[in-house]
Structures are given as C-alpha cells and as structure tokens.
Amino acid sequence: MTGAEAADDADVEDEDLYEDARRARWTATVTGVLLALMGLTAASMRVGGGVPARVPAAYGSGAAVCVLAGTLGARGRTRWALWLMILGAMVMALGDQFD
C-alpha cells in the first residue's frame, strides 16, 4: 500500500468518525427535547387535576433535567446527556408514583 492510499483510507475513517459523532449529537439533542416536551405536557395536564403538588413538580423537574441533557448533547457531551436523560426520566417516573 502506498502512502497516498493509506492517507485516503485515513481520510475515509476520519469522515466516518465525524459522521458518527454528528449522529450521536443529533440523537442526544432530539431525544432530550422530546423527553422534555413529554414531561412538560404531563406536568401541565396534572396541574389542575387535584393531585398533590409534588406530581407536576416531579414532571417539571424531570423535564428541566432533560432540557439540560439536550443542551449538553448538542455541545458534544453525549455521555453526560445520556445519563441526564436517564435521570430525568427517573424523576418523571417518580412523579408517576406520587400520583
């Protein structure tokens, strides 16, 4: 293999890595936003439903954590975003348990 062929192979591998990183950022961002929207929707539906105040607060708090996860995902911190999305979903599930 010549030096030019090796350089071309390295360029292709670099492009694949950049594409994977871009896809991971978009996935983390979109998932964080969707989870946040679901949490805000659930919180707004529960506000006037005669449930304890901690139920909509848990949904809202989980949504806020998911917004932070989406922001971190957009900036390339996809591992942190993943863990924060899991935490936000767990907080929203806790709100479901309070209901």
Side-chain angles (χ1 to χ4, degrees):
M1 181 182 300
T2 65
E5 290 173 353
D8 287 341
D9 287 343
D11 288 342
V12 169
E13 288 179 21
D14 287 344
E15 288 177 19
D16 288 343
L17 288 175
Y18 291 136
E19 185 64 32
D20 288 344
R22 186 178 306 118
R23 190 175 303 125
R25 284 193 307 268
W26 274 102
T27 302
T29 303
V30 169
T31 305
V33 168
L34 287 176
L35 284 171
L37 287 174
M38 290 188 321
L40 289 175
T41 302
S44 65
M45 289 173 53
R46 305 290 176 135
V47 167
V51 294
R54 60 185 169 188
V55 174
Y59 282 118
S61 299
V65 171
C66 289
V67 166
L68 179 62
T71 303
L72 287 177
R75 294 179 182 216
R77 302 291 186 179
T78 53
R79 288 183 189 162
W80 279 99
L82 172 66
W83 287 110
L84 284 175
M85 282 185 263
I86 291 169
L87 179 66
M90 288 175 58
V91 170
M92 288 187 263
L94 185 65
D96 223 14
Q97 293 297 315
F98 289 148
D99 191 17

